[in-house]
Each structure stands twice: as C-alpha cells, then as structure tokens.
Amino acid sequence: MKTIKFSLLLLFVTISSLSCSSDDSSIGNDPGENSNLEFRQELNVSYGNDNDQVFDIYLPANRTTETKVMILVHGGGWTTGDKADMNPIKDLIRQDLPNLAIVNINYRLADQDNPPFPMQIDDITTVVNFLKAYQNEYVISNDIGFIGTSAGAHLSMLWSYAYDTDDDIKMVSSIVGPANFTDPAYTESENPFLIEIINTFGIDTSTAFLEEISPYHQVDASSPPTILFYGGQDPLIPTSQGVEMEAKLSNLGVTHQFTLYPNAGHGWVGLELLDTWAKLKAFTQTHLE
C-alpha cells in the first residue's frame, strides 16, 4: 500500500494564545457541585494499547453534565496525520464556543497490513465509549458533535451515519471529506491519486464493500444534521462528492448546509476560510452548543 499524503492547506486564522492551565480540582466531583469547576485539560489520554490510540481533552470552566462534546478527527489519507493538525480548530472552538468540551483524537494509521476499515471506525467507537464511561468524572454529557477534515471527515460522517446506535451525535461536519467510493469519478478514474484512495482500503473493491465504507450509502433520514465544505478545484476529492452528498441529504430530509468554493482546492485560506468558520460556528451553536 502506498502512503497518501493529503496536503490539506486548511490553515485556520491566527488567534490569540489561550490559557491551557490545568484544573487542580479532583476529578469525579459530585455533578451537583460542579458550577465552580475550572478549565481542565488532559493530553495524550490512552484509550487503547497502541501508541496512536490517544486523545487530548479540554474541559471548559463551569461545566456540568449537560456540557456538549466536540470530537475532532484529523486527516492524512488514513495513513498519516496527527491530532496536532487540528489544534487551530481546537483553539477557535475554545475562543468562540467556550462552553463546549473538546476531544482531539489520534487513531491507528493504516499501512500495508492494517487497512483503515474497520480499524479506525473501531477506534472512534472506543473513544465514544470511553467518554461515556468517564462521563461523571469529566462532567460532560453524551451529546457529541464531529468536525473532520479530509479522511477524518470521511470517518466522522461514516461513524455518525452507520455506527451511532445510541443517537448521541447531534451534528457532523465534513471539510473536504470523501463521501462515496462508488462514484465513477473514483471507480473509473485513471488519476493515480484517486486510484490510490480506493487502494488504501485493500483489495476488496466490490460494490458492496465500497458502499459499506461510503457515508453516501449509509446516511438515512434519521442521520444527524450535517454541514459540508468542498473545493471546486480539489485534486483529491471530486466535486461530485460534495454535490451528490448534498443531494442525498436533501432527498432524505436531513438538516444540512453545503458550501462549494468553486476556485478552492483541498483546503483554502482568506475570505473563504473566514466564511467556513462563520458557518461552522453558527451551525454548531444551533445543533450542539
């Protein structure tokens, strides 16, 4: 398996440095006495035996068991990337959506012997179950949102649509995420980059398997509100991925928003980036905060 290095140039605007001091209060306080809880962070919390199975958690001050959680899922073509790539988004959430808890995850990276599916979906399941198990200790609710970029957006949508058996997911955001691997733009392409995306998932290229790993084929009328962002000049994610996903959400009656930046590639800066954050912030305030 070759390594795909997605060059996601989604560089979020520079913001003021935020305090990252840890809360000295002991974990596991009575939820009825949590109105004065201070900000708390825990870095590289282990949720499995692999070195990649870690996350950072940022718990807001004055949190209660009604505090919602945003999970961040990095990109990197399922084979590379790190949770540090999502720190600019984490900082924006802490600044503009300060009542949310944030969980920024790493997951096991795919290689020749370890395909991304179901391994990375299993990791997200483990993270969600971990948060539920420690709900009272962290003082958070079971209401969860996802923001994913590139491969992380694919994983976020797929988990939200196909694996959220308890209806915990209240919103999901896809920023340049692959949505439909049965799209002829992938299956009939001679572009080596697009071919490699399919090959990353292993030797099974049957329609049934490609549908199983495609959010487009897993979404249904009960799926959570979804916000989509795509670039019209993206060399890795065909425009049809976003356009057809938006049409499917419309046909199913799923609450959603869709933005296509015609001149943008696999990421963007400037006014388009400001537009992305403004829309994502408003969507989060409506459906999660």
Side-chain angles (χ1 to χ4, degrees), residues 210-229:
L210 295 179
E211 289 181 351
E212 185 178 5
I213 63 173
S214 294
Y216 177 89
H217 291 285
Q218 300 302 319
V219 68
D220 61 32
S222 66
S223 293
T226 301
I227 185 168
L228 309 167
F229 300 94

Side-chain angles (χ1 to χ4, degrees), residues 10 57 63 115 145 153 169 193 218 232 248 250 286:
L10 204 119
I57 186 167
R63 62 193 177 276
I169 308 307
F193 293 106
Q218 300 302 319
K248 184 72 173 286
S250 293
T286 297

Side-chain angles (χ1 to χ4, degrees), residues 5-11 75 86 149-150 175-176 266-268:
K5 293 186 178 179
F6 278 25
S7 179
L8 183 62
L9 301 177
L10 204 119
L11 306 176
M86 301 296 282
T149 60
S150 197
I175 303 174
V176 297
H266 199 62
W268 41 85

Side-chain angles (χ1 to χ4, degrees), residues 39-97:
F39 168 77
R40 179 187 192 96
Q41 71 175 14
E42 293 184 15
L43 305 181
N44 295 313
V45 178
S46 176
Y47 66 89
N49 295 324
D50 192 281
N51 289 336
D52 285 333
Q53 291 176 304
V54 295
F55 63 76
D56 301 335
I57 186 167
Y58 304 86
L59 300 166
N62 303 316
R63 62 193 177 276
T64 73
T65 52
E66 300 298 314
T67 295
K68 314 298 194 301
V69 180
M70 182 68 82
I71 298 178
L72 308 182
V73 190
H74 71 79
W78 304 276
T79 62
T80 65
D82 185 84
K83 56 186 169 65
D85 301 337
M86 301 296 282
N87 280 341
I89 300 179
K90 176 264 293 182
D91 290 339
L92 280 174
I93 295 172
R94 286 198 56 209
Q95 175 179 271
D96 291 353
L97 301 165

Side-chain angles (χ1 to χ4, degrees), residues 1-2 27 35 63-64 81 107 126 146 167 197 206 269 279:
M1 181 191 304
K2 298 179 181 178
I27 215 167
S35 59
R63 62 193 177 276
T64 73
Y107 48 85
T126 303
F146 277 105
D167 295 327
I197 287 174
S206 66
V269 294
K279 290 176 178 176

